[in-house]
Amino acid sequence: SGNERFWSSTLKKDLVLFKDGNINRRGIRKSIANIKNRYRLAGYQFTTVEVLEEKITLQGRITRKLTFAINEGPCAKTITLRFTGFSAFTEQALQGVMQTGRSSLFRDTVFVPEILEQDLVNLRALYLKEGYLDVKISHMLDWSADNTSVTVAVTIEEGVRTLVSDIRFEGLSVIGDHDAEQALRLKKGDPFQEALLTQDEIALSQKIA
């Protein structure tokens, strides 16, 4: 009861009672968690679910009737992104790696925490790619009074940018320094990336082999 966003037939797919049973009410708790997760991914962050139990006699058998009472709550469809502490990139570049607040043909513009968490990972990867090894990124959520809109405030501490100042080789004999350097993706003057250094070690080993 109370469900408008999803059909009852859809929500019944989240029930595990008939598959996993309900020992110590674990089936009910897991079913509630599944329903709330479905709503959360659709932008409903404040959905509550309660189970009303009633014993009835059905065809001579005592049967438990369960009603999942759903209070869907508001859907956050208005999202505002704010960035502070950035200078290495434009605000448009930062927004470009984020899906939060962006609509598509297959998804409405709704706030989903899991998407925001991935966005923050993408932001960090953007900075690491440009040599900001100690970048720190945090965020805060500011909800409207009716919880239909949210402002995502992202704070960035960029730190120092690290560049490759020089590349030297020791112990080479089978190939020259020039050929060795050509095998590397990290070049002098490039932003330093730990991941590329590991890849270059493998590439150089293959070149020598």
Side-chain angles (χ1 to χ4, degrees):
S1 65
N3 54 301
E4 296 181 3
R5 173 62 176 81
F6 297 106
W7 292 334
S8 295
S9 57
T10 300
L11 296 178
K12 284 182 179 179
K13 298 177 182 178
D14 296 326
L15 304 183
V16 300
L17 296 165
F18 303 106
K19 181 180 66 174
D20 298 344
N22 191 38
I23 297 178
N24 296 325
R25 296 178 62 84
R26 282 183 299 198
I28 288 179
R29 290 197 299 269
K30 188 174 181 180
S31 298
I32 290 176
N34 290 343
I35 292 173
K36 292 176 69 174
N37 184 62
R38 181 182 294 275
Y39 272 96
R40 185 174 66 254
L41 295 179
Y44 294 80
Q45 306 307 315
F46 302 96
T47 299
T48 61
V49 181
E50 295 184 2
V51 177
L52 309 178
E53 300 186 40
E54 180 184 358
K55 288 185 178 181
I56 62 175
T57 301
L58 187 65
Q59 296 180 351
R61 298 178 60 185
I62 296 179
T63 305
R64 295 173 67 187
K65 178 182 178 182
L66 304 180
T67 300
F68 287 80
I70 300 172
N71 181 2
E72 295 182 332
C75 179
K77 293 185 177 181
T78 303
I79 305 170
T80 303
L81 290 175
R82 291 179 181 171
F83 300 92
T84 58
F86 65 97
S87 60
F89 302 96
T90 64
E91 187 169 348
Q92 290 75 13
L94 298 178
Q95 291 178 345
V97 300
M98 300 186 68
Q99 295 298 317
T100 297
R102 186 185 303 179
S103 61
S104 67
L105 293 175
F106 307 101
R107 182 173 61 86
D108 294 331
T109 304
V110 295
F111 176 75
V112 179
E114 287 82 355
I115 294 179
L116 176 59
E117 290 299 325
Q118 183 58 53
D119 285 342
L120 298 178
V121 172
N122 294 340
L123 276 178
R124 177 173 172 78
L126 176 66
Y127 272 93
L128 292 178
K129 186 177 180 180
E130 291 300 319
Y132 292 89
L133 307 182
D134 298 319
V135 62
K136 297 179 181 179
I137 300 176
S138 59
H139 76 283
M140 292 185 62
L141 302 179
D142 184 15
W143 291 90
S144 63
D146 59 1
N147 292 325
T148 60
S149 64
V150 60
T151 298
V152 182
V154 180
T155 302
I156 301 173
E157 298 179 34
E158 295 179 334
V160 178
R161 190 185 191 198
T162 303
L163 302 177
V164 179
S165 61
D166 195 14
I167 297 176
R168 296 192 299 270
F169 303 95
E170 295 180 1
L172 280 180
S173 60
V174 295
I175 62 174
D177 287 2
H178 176 74
D179 290 337
E181 191 167 342
Q182 290 299 310
L184 307 181
R185 293 182 60 185
L186 275 177
K187 306 295 183 182
K188 183 177 179 179
D190 286 353
F192 177 74
Q193 299 181 55
E194 190 74 35
L196 281 187
L197 179 61
T198 302
Q199 294 176 21
D200 283 348
E201 290 176 352
I202 297 173
L204 187 56
S205 297
Q206 293 175 343
K207 182 77 172 178
I208 294 172

